[in-house]
Amino acid sequence: MATPASMKQKQWLTSQTGIQHLKLEEEVPAPTAEELGDGEVLVRVGSVGLNYRDLEVCAGTYGHHASLSQDQAPIVPCSDMCGRVLHSRSPLWRPGARVLSIFNQSHLTGQCTEAELSTGLGLPLPGVLIQYRVFPGSGLVAVPAHLSDEEACTLPIAAVTAWMALNSFSPVGRPVRGREKVVLLQGTGGVSIAGLQIAKALGLRVIVTSSEDEKLRRAREELGADFGINYRKTPEWGKRVLEFTGGRGADVIFETGGTYTLEKSFECVAFGGVISAIGYLSGKEEQQGEGNRLNANVLALKRNVTLKGILNGPRDRFEEMLETVYTEEKGVRPVVDRVFEFERAREALEYLASGKHFGKVVVKVS
């Protein structure tokens, strides 16, 4: 488990000018035990889970806040990894422990602040698409023993974001539960599929939308979704949500579409419900010239709605989720669509960009 000073490693670098320019470097000095500071650990990366965010970082289009401004400098992308501790100067970890990275390395509890957002892996900090990396001991959590590296590495962004989309207003230790609650999930990507598994583990009813009937079938038959809507065949899918819920609407909506879905989400959320703003796959900017559209204030007032931005979650909520859902007793295992070898990481990101996946795309590092 030693890492001698002469040891070299491989890493992927993005110049933030497109996936096609992602570059594999093969003679990079590996960190050593002697270089560790107090509280730090050296981890051998086993597997990396990919996220839509990684595509934006590679394209140079990710920047929701001043602390995330991109200067186009080359950076190691990706944030979600499962690995094994090689050396530790942290009282939290011993060599041999299997660990998961948390997304914002300093976000340990509460709402995310500007300072914590500046510690995000894969921008602004160097990411995890690399063979060895040093982490602060507090920036890691323990891997559920029953999960493989490939399954576990999918959890830091997708599953934690889903957990917070459901429970951002619930105290730690008291997640939302019960079949009287209905969750609407847009699409079958990583966050939505994690949300489906988590919601069913909590006993909630789940509606899933997709443009493909086969994905809807899998969501129902394999993962227990209660209702599926093909939004291409049913453009007014919000009305179908209201029909399924007897006119009441969904208590929580995973809003991952953006421009072309948000207004419909406002129309089919339950009174007093929550729209968790997660993504923007249909666009970031409002479209002009489409008639007189109600603004967000009016849409929120119509059904007394809370619109909440979800920037992942802190370490304590990550651990809460693992202890509640991803236990050997419950048997919940993340859905991994495909696993690519480390040398094929560019192809893995291209596959993610195609939108063909159901669940998560993973890169096996070691």
Side-chain angles (χ1 to χ4, degrees), residues 2-35:
T3 52
S6 60
M7 183 172 175
K8 302 296 183 181
Q9 66 170 335
K10 298 178 182 180
Q11 67 178 17
W12 283 93
L13 277 183
T14 174
S15 58
Q16 304 178 52
T17 55
I19 300 173
Q20 69 275 21
H21 297 132
L22 202 63
K23 180 182 178 182
L24 178 62
E25 294 191 334
E26 301 192 21
E27 292 293 321
V28 181
T32 66
E34 292 71 29
E35 297 170 356

Side-chain angles (χ1 to χ4, degrees), residues 118-155:
S118 69
T119 63
L121 294 173
L123 193 82
L125 299 185
V128 298
L129 204 54
I130 190 170
Q131 292 178 312
Y132 299 91
R133 195 189 190 284
V134 174
F135 296 87
S138 58
L140 303 166
V141 300
V143 178
H146 70 291
L147 298 183
S148 68
D149 284 5
E150 290 75 24
E151 292 169 330
C153 74
T154 69
L155 299 175

Side-chain angles (χ1 to χ4, degrees), residues 56-237:
E56 289 198 295
V57 170
C58 289
T61 59
Y62 187 84
H64 305 306
H65 196 277
S67 64
L68 297 176
S69 60
Q70 291 180 264
D71 58 8
Q72 307 303 308
I75 189 171
V76 176
C78 303
S79 58
D80 294 10
M81 77 92 213
C82 177
R84 193 174 294 272
V85 174
L86 295 182
H87 302 283
S88 176
R89 291 192 62 187
S90 166
L92 299 175
W93 304 106
R94 293 182 178 180
R98 295 175 68 220
V99 291
L100 294 170
S101 54
I102 67 172
F103 171 39
N104 291 308
Q105 288 281 281
S106 66
H107 189 198
L108 306 183
T109 191
Q111 293 287 332
C112 187
T113 66
E114 177 180 1
E116 290 161 346
L117 194 62
S118 69
T119 63
L121 294 173
L123 193 82
L125 299 185
V128 298
L129 204 54
I130 190 170
Q131 292 178 312
Y132 299 91
R133 195 189 190 284
V134 174
F135 296 87
S138 58
L140 303 166
V141 300
V143 178
H146 70 291
L147 298 183
S148 68
D149 284 5
E150 290 75 24
E151 292 169 330
C153 74
T154 69
L155 299 175
I157 280 189
V160 176
T161 297
W163 183 258
M164 296 307 296
L166 288 170
N167 296 301
S168 58
F169 293 105
S170 301
V172 175
R174 295 173 56 190
V176 59
R177 295 181 184 272
R179 285 192 59 78
E180 72 278 4
K181 298 292 186 181
V182 178
V183 181
L184 171 62
L185 307 173
Q186 294 176 355
T188 53
V191 174
S192 291
I193 292 300
L196 171 53
Q197 292 184 290
I198 291 170
K200 297 309 295 183
L202 296 174
L204 313 179
R205 287 189 294 162
V206 180
I207 303 170
V208 177
T209 69
S210 174
S211 62
E212 299 181 32
D213 289 337
E214 174 60 16
K215 290 182 177 180
L216 292 173
R217 182 198 65 77
R218 291 187 63 187
R220 290 192 304 269
E221 296 180 7
E222 298 176 17
L223 301 176
D226 297 275
F227 190 60
I229 305 171
N230 186 316
Y231 62 80
R232 291 203 190 280
K233 295 179 179 178
T234 310
E236 298 302 319
W237 48 264

